[in-house]
């Protein structure tokens, strides 16, 4: 139901998240992401293009990831949200806390500036 | 799985320097005393109260006045945990004395009642307090015996149910009715009604992230902080701002609560509201036509310290309703994996005008049930309807 494919670009990690993040798999999601983040990373870009559903437990996992990245002065960026996922972020106000980009390239470009 | 408190009476220590209180309490609670439901003991100030707690190790709850000689009620609150850690305290304060009520809540009071004491309200408060104590005691006793997770989930569910108001106002000018259908093992919805000055009423629907005991504790704090803030401030944006700041303190586990809060004035029909990242409520006209309540700037509470919440207001006409719900309604799924969504919620109201608040809430939950058609419920389903008559 949920799959995370990661790709490393130097000190930036990109994670394509597929399927659903909800109470049933949120722990696996957190672990899958945590396992590949390195202490030297300066950013993680989560690509939500193929994410179809996220529950509040999923939002919390995203927030925990952002918090733990903050401790190593790294950022969490989100990109390519479908309308439905974007709506979840907008209603909950999470779009005000986490940077959201239209595409992965935009997210990468924001890191350059 | 209700806590069994009928086998032994709930023992209540009443602390008040007013000599008439003992007589009044024994008289107004005579039925409960006779039926062995409650047992009262009395103390005249904080010092005496602590001595009684040392002597009577079986006291369940303390009902204390604030202003007393020797040791006042607020100081007593600080001292109780070291003498009787399992005792819960309810404070009696002057109506509108927000400063003392806030202080009492911050010092660990479980609830408060205001003077002049409404004994029906006091009975409900006592019952709820005793039930919560019993839940804690039974949890402490059984924690070694039961599978921890199941136990926690059931306790969390009971804590969740215990904070939900079960009786609702229905006057000539307005009605409120709410219902929460808990999911088996996730969920953290709650609703609340807070009666304010000049007949106004605060209405809240909230959804806590996470599950189990930590989420239930977070829910309890959210509710207590909301009640305290609602008495201390008059506008919803400030109220959410205060609750948010307090929830953000030491929130390392990144728990959060989405919360819609509105204050309805039955005289003017005005609903002033602020929204902490919760689904926008639906406004249903007297003719059954629906639309979303305009959004205000907000974010889920507990994660963004110092956030400045937006606020807006709407005037409900006679027969109009505000339906405040959680995402368990719109995100309920059927076997085909389709979600209930907003359009099906609107359909519940279309062409069926003049329903009361109770019927509306019941119909919404029934429609979600019918749609899910036995597919497992993944999230709590909550619906609160406010109707202006």
């Amino acid at each position: 139901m949920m799959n995370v494919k990661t790709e490393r670009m130097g000190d930036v990690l990109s994670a394509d998240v597929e399927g659903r993040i909800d109470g049933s798999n949120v722990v696996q999601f957190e672990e899958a992401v945590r396992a590949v983040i390195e202490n030297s990373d300066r950013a993680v870009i989560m690509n939500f293009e193929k994410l179809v559903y996220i529950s509040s437990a999923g939002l919390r996992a995203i927030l925990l990831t952002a918090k733990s990245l903050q401790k190593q002065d790294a950022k969490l960026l989100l990109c390519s949200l479908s309308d439905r996922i974007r709506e979840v972020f907008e209603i909950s106000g999470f779009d005000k806390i986490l940077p959201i980009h239209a595409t992965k390239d935009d997210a990468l470009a924001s890191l350059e500036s | 799985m209700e806590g069994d408190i009928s086998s032994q009476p709930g023992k209540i220590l009443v602390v008040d320097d007013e000599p008439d209180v003992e007589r009044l309490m024994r008289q107004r609670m005579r039925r409960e005393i006779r039926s062995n439901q409650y047992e009262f003991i009395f103390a005249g100030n904080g010092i005496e109260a602590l001595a009684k707690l040392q002597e009577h190790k079986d006291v369940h709850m303390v009902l204390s006045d604030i202003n007393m000689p020797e040791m006042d009620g607020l100081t007593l609150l600080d001292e109780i945990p070291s003498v009787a850690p399992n005792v819960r305290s309810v404070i009696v304060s002057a109506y509108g004395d927000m400063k003392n009520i806030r202080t009492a809540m911050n010092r660990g009071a479980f609830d408060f009642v205001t003077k002049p004491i409404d004994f029906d309200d006091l009975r409900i408060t006592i019952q709820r307090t005793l039930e919560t104590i019993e839940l804690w005691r039974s949890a402490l006793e059984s924690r070694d015996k039961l599978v921890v997770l199941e136990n926690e989930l059931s306790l969390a569910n009971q804590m969740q149910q215990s904070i939900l108001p079960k009786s609702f106002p229905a006057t000539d000018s307005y009605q409120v009715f709410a219902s929460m259908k808990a999911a088996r093992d996730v969920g953290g919805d709650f609703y609340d009604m807070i009666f304010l000055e000049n007949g106004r009423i605060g209405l809240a629907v909230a959804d806590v992230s996470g599950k189990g005991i930590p989420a239930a504790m977070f829910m309890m704090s959210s509710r207590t902080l909301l009640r305290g803030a609602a008495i201390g401030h008059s506008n919803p944006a400030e109220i959410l701002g205060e609750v948010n700041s307090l929830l953000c303190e030491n929130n390392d586990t990144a728990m959060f609560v989405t919360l819609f809060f509105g204050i309805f004035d039955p005289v003017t029909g005005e609903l002033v509201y602020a929204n902490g990242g919760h689904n926008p409520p639906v406004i249903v006209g007297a003719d059954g036509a629906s639309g979303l309540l305009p959004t205000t700037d907000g974010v889920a509470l507990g994660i963004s310290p110092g956030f400045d919440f937006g606020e807006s207001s709407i005037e409900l006409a006679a027969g109009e309703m505000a339906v405040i719900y959680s995402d368990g309604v719109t995100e309920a799924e059927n076997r085909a994996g389709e979600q209930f969504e907003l359009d099906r919620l609107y359909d519940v109201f279309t062409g069926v005008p003049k329903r009361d608040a109770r019927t509306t809430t019941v119909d919404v939950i029934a429609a979600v049930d019918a749609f899910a058609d036995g597919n497992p419920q993944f999230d709590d389903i909550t619906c609160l309807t406010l109707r202006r008559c």
Side-chain angles (χ1 to χ4, degrees):
Chain A
M1 292 281 264
M2 187 270 304
N3 190 23
V4 184
K5 268 188 266 175
T6 56
E7 183 193 350
R8 178 159 291 287
M9 295 168 283
D11 54 6
V12 175
L13 186 75
S14 147
D16 296 348
V17 186
E18 268 184 53
R20 305 164 53 94
I21 313 176
D22 59 27
S24 71
N25 59 26
V26 68
V27 176
Q28 290 96 298
F29 170 76
E30 276 180 79
E31 281 170 0
V33 175
R34 198 181 301 139
V36 285
I37 295 177
E38 286 176 12
N39 290 336
S40 55
D41 283 342
R42 66 184 173 102
V44 173
I45 300 172
M46 284 191 189
N47 175 8
F48 284 170
E49 192 179 351
K50 290 179 180 164
L51 181 69
V52 294
Y53 175 78
I54 183 162
S55 74
S56 64
L59 287 178
R60 186 168 158 254
I62 304 284
L63 197 65
L64 279 169
T65 307
K67 277 197 163 192
S68 80
L69 283 170
Q70 226 166 41
K71 284 181 192 146
Q72 62 185 63
D73 276 329
K75 279 199 230 174
L76 176 66
L77 297 88
L78 311 178
C79 72
S80 315
L81 279 65
S82 67
D83 287 350
R84 169 170 284 182
I85 300 295
R86 178 174 284 276
E87 192 183 301
V88 173
F89 276 78
E90 282 171 358
I91 287 178
S92 60
F94 272 62
D95 61 332
K96 300 184 183 73
I97 300 173
L98 297 168
I100 297 176
H101 297 275
T103 64
K104 197 187 283 189
D105 285 345
D106 284 357
L108 279 167
S110 79
L111 290 171
E112 302 308 319
S113 56
Chain B
M1 293 267 287
E2 282 292 321
D4 177 19
I5 52 168
S6 56
S7 53
Q8 64 179 93
K11 192 161 181 177
I12 300 153
L13 170 61
V14 180
V15 192
D16 201 310
D17 58 339
E18 182 65 45
D20 276 344
V21 165
E22 175 162 0
R23 192 182 49 78
L24 183 67
M25 198 66 75
R26 289 201 190 282
Q27 197 233 331
R28 299 300 295 269
M29 295 290 184
R30 60 187 179 281
R31 203 172 297 156
E32 286 79 6
I33 295 171
R34 208 182 301 140
S35 65
N36 216 27
Q37 204 178 340
Y38 303 152
E39 180 187 344
F40 289 93
I41 55 173
F42 296 84
N45 62 49
I47 302 277
E48 278 185 35
L50 291 173
K52 293 269 178 173
L53 286 173
Q54 295 272 19
E55 188 185 331
H56 300 264
K57 294 288 184 198
D58 55 347
V59 168
H60 295 97
M61 71 173 269
V62 170
L63 179 69
S64 177
D65 193 17
I66 292 181
N67 297 315
M68 292 177 294
E70 308 284 345
M71 181 191 282
D72 66 22
L74 297 175
T75 313
L76 174 63
L77 279 176
D78 280 339
E79 298 297 326
I80 285 176
S82 57
V83 178
N86 292 326
V87 161
R88 295 290 164 111
S89 305
V90 173
I91 282 293
V92 184
S93 91
Y95 188 87
D97 185 5
M98 314 78 141
K99 195 167 166 287
N100 275 327
I101 291 172
R102 290 284 305 129
T103 308
M105 288 306 202
N106 287 338
R107 294 189 186 188
F110 176 73
D111 208 339
F112 61 88
V113 291
T114 52
K115 288 178 181 172
I117 290 179
D118 169 349
F119 279 84
D120 285 332
D121 180 47
L122 180 60
R123 279 184 196 94
I124 294 169
T125 306
I126 290 177
Q127 202 54 33
R128 229 169 35 78
T129 310
L130 292 176
E131 278 170 13
T132 308
I133 293 167
E134 184 57 29
L135 288 177
W136 275 112
R137 294 200 168 180
S138 64
L140 291 175
E141 281 167 16
S142 58
R143 70 179 161 191
D144 297 332
K145 298 180 211 155
L146 293 170
V147 180
V148 175
L149 186 62
E150 279 295 317
N151 188 22
E152 282 204 353
L153 288 173
S154 121
L155 176 65
N157 287 343
Q158 290 176 58
M159 285 169 73
Q160 183 183 19
Q161 289 291 346
S162 76
I163 66 169
L164 299 177
K166 299 289 192 298
S167 64
F168 301 95
T171 72
D172 290 343
S173 50
Y174 78 103
Q175 308 161 335
V176 176
F177 192 84
S179 183
M180 194 277 291
K181 190 173 173 240
R184 199 187 73 86
D185 50 23
V186 199
D189 281 9
F190 72 94
Y191 61 81
D192 205 5
M193 298 182 296
I194 307 168
F195 295 95
L196 301 165
E197 281 175 309
N198 304 322
R200 295 175 311 141
I201 178 171
L203 299 169
V205 171
D207 183 354
V208 173
S209 69
K211 57 180 174 176
I213 296 290
M217 295 299 292
F218 196 80
M219 179 188 305
M220 295 290 238
S221 330
S222 306
R223 170 187 169 272
T224 307
L225 293 170
L226 178 66
R227 292 201 148 208
I231 285 169
H233 300 279
S234 56
N235 57 334
E238 277 182 25
I239 292 168
L240 290 200
E242 177 170 319
V243 176
N244 179 48
S245 295
L246 293 167
L247 286 176
C248 285
E249 284 174 21
N250 304 319
N251 185 14
D252 295 334
T253 53
M255 258 187 278
F256 61 88
V257 56
T258 68
L259 194 159
F260 175 88
F261 183 68
I263 296 178
F264 178 66
D265 186 338
V267 178
T268 60
E270 192 183 37
L271 178 70
V272 187
Y273 60 93
N275 196 342
H278 199 80
N279 315 48
V282 169
I283 299 298
V284 184
D287 58 356
S290 318
L292 282 183
L293 189 65
T295 52
T296 49
D297 205 19
V299 61
L301 311 186
I303 52 180
S304 183
F307 190 87
D308 194 9
F309 289 86
E311 182 176 287
S312 190
S313 73
I314 183 174
E315 192 185 320
L316 292 182
E320 273 194 321
M321 301 189 288
V323 179
I324 313 168
Y325 61 95
S326 66
D327 58 7
V329 170
T330 40
E331 291 176 10
E333 283 187 6
N334 64 13
R335 287 181 196 283
E338 297 165 324
Q339 297 196 341
F340 189 71
E341 294 189 352
L342 208 47
D343 283 342
R344 287 189 184 84
L345 182 58
Y346 289 163
D347 287 347
V348 179
F349 314 120
T350 310
V352 214
K354 288 185 184 164
R355 276 189 288 202
D356 62 17
R358 174 187 291 265
T359 315
T360 304
T361 293
V362 170
D363 284 357
V364 167
I365 291 186
V368 175
D369 261 358
F371 172 77
D373 194 22
N375 201 38
Q377 182 189 340
F378 289 115
D379 202 355
D380 294 346
I381 294 171
T382 303
C383 180
L384 181 152
T385 304
L386 160 71
R387 181 176 189 270
R388 189 180 188 198
C389 301

